[in-house]
Amino acid sequence: APGLTRYAATSFGVHLSKERAQEIRGTFFRTYSKLFQWHTRSKQEANFGAHEVRTRLGRRRLIPGTANSWNRFTALVNMPVQGGTADGMKQAIILVAQRIPEGAHLVATVHDELVVECREEDAAAVKKIVTDSMTEAMAELFPEVPIEVEANICSNWGEK
C-alpha cells in the first residue's frame, strides 16, 4: 500500500490515503487471486535468499548475493514476465521469418511490435502470418494466458 501511494503521487499527482491504497490493493489481489499466490510465493523465495530466476525457456538471471529482499522479489516477478515475453517475441520472429512470402522483410522490432515491409498485394496475407505467428509463439510459452495480437496495415510506421 505505501508503494501504491507513492506511485499514485509521483506518476499521476493523485493523493491516496494508506487506507484507500490498501483497499485498492486488496480488491486487485482478490480479483486476481492467482497473481496474489504467485506474489506470495515470490516474497517467500526472496526472503529465503533466492539467487536466480528463470524464464519458461530456461534463460537465467542471477540475483546478486548483496540484493535485499525487495530487489530479489522484483527480479522474481519481473524476469519471468519480461524475459518470458522477450522469449516469445524471439520465437515469433523466427516463425514470421520462416513464413512470410518472398519479397517481404522483417525490418524492425520495437518492444512488443514487429514491423514487416511487403508488397501492397501481400499485406493482408502478411498481416495474418504476423498475428498467427505471434499468437502461436506466445501461447506455446504461456498456454494459461489468453493471447491477443493487434496488427495494422499502414503505408508507414507512423500510421500504426
Side-chain angles (χ1 to χ4, degrees):
L4 178 57
T5 301
R6 280 190 305 277
Y7 181 72
T10 59
S11 298
F12 304 105
V14 173
H15 171 74
L16 286 179
S17 68
K18 182 180 175 186
E19 294 75 22
R20 180 67 179 133
Q22 287 172 328
E23 182 181 314
I24 291 169
R25 189 176 180 281
T27 300
F28 178 84
F29 281 122
R30 276 191 304 282
T31 303
Y32 300 102
S33 60
K34 296 286 186 187
L35 185 61
F36 178 74
Q37 292 169 13
W38 177 44
H39 275 219
T40 300
R41 278 193 315 274
S42 296
K43 284 179 188 173
Q44 290 169 346
E45 290 177 35
N47 290 335
F48 287 117
H51 63 277
E52 73 173 42
V53 60
R54 292 180 183 261
T55 66
R56 292 248 172 120
L57 290 181
R59 231 168 12 99
R60 181 171 81 153
R61 176 180 174 191
L62 297 176
I63 302 172
T66 57
N68 62 31
S69 64
W70 175 251
N71 290 336
R72 287 179 194 285
F73 171 74
T74 58
L76 289 166
V77 296
N78 287 343
M79 173 65 173
V81 174
Q82 293 171 346
T85 55
D87 287 347
M89 280 297 291
K90 291 172 191 173
Q91 297 293 96
I93 289 167
I94 292 167
L95 293 175
V96 168
Q98 292 171 341
R99 295 172 176 173
I100 56 176
E102 188 173 321
H105 304 282
L106 180 60
V107 295
T109 62
V110 182
H111 304 291
D112 61 349
E113 298 180 22
L114 300 179
V115 180
V116 180
E117 194 172 77
C118 67
R119 294 183 298 264
E120 190 172 347
E121 60 268 18
D122 294 334
V126 168
K127 176 182 175 181
K128 181 163 177 32
I129 289 168
V130 171
T131 57
D132 290 352
S133 298
M134 291 181 80
T135 302
E136 180 182 329
M138 294 305 292
E140 187 174 310
L141 286 176
F142 301 101
E144 70 281 12
V145 177
I147 305 299
E148 295 181 19
V149 175
E150 295 177 11
N152 295 306
I153 297 173
C154 308
S155 61
N156 65 68
W157 190 48
E159 292 179 2
K160 69 174 190 91

